Amino acid sequence: MKMPMSKDATVGLVFTALTFLLLLFAVVVYFRQRKTNRETQREIPDHDLLRLVANEPDQLISPHQLRDKTGLSLNEARTRLNSLMTFGVFDRSSNRTGRHFFGLKAPLGVSPDLELSADPFLTVEDLLAIFAYYDYRVTPQELIMATGLPMTIIDREMKYFEKQRVVQRLQRSDSNGAVTHKFYVLQDPYRSDPDRFRAQAGVMDLEMKEILLQDNLLV
């Protein structure tokens, strides 16, 4: 005769199932957001979106306003703005009705006039040139404006370079623990000996291109 499950076992099973469903939901949302970010670059690339916000009278934009100014749907506008906020480009404010407004964490300034590669991704030489220009401390916003590349490609590449221990991402938080600033720095020996980084350029560039193709981030 089969014994009934105990109350603790039932609770544990339900908790495990709920955890799995939440993780599955998070994965589905992540890939849907990445697809939206990739496909809507034709309507407005990330670097143009940053310029659009910077040119607003109050340097703020809501998803509804972005929808009205572009060919994006409201959900696409929300996805683009929230993704750039998570990446460390935007701050988000709310009014009394709960509507969100997004603004740049830092002024755009003048985009650097750098001779970067024609490749549709960030190469090792590109990365070294950008770090040198910005005194070896580069923000996500500066990477977007210097390269003109979509956030999704830059984010994936920087995670690769972090894994290779070439760069590290740092962040500052306020007294409440909220992240206020994100930026990347080169790690040694690549910072003090950039030629050591260049010696690996061929292998890293090829590997990075293959990863981006596998992730459907390059077309």
Side-chain angles (χ1 to χ4, degrees), residues 43 188 191-192:
E43 276 74 29
D188 275 329
R191 179 176 56 184
S192 57

Side-chain angles (χ1 to χ4, degrees), residues 3 94 101 127:
M3 297 293 294
S94 303
F101 293 81
L127 195 66

Side-chain angles (χ1 to χ4, degrees), residues 122 130 138-148 154 158 184:
L122 191 62
I130 292 169
V138 184
T139 66
Q141 176 182 298
E142 289 165 344
L143 285 169
I144 290 174
M145 299 308 297
T147 64
I154 294 174
M158 297 311 285
Y184 298 94

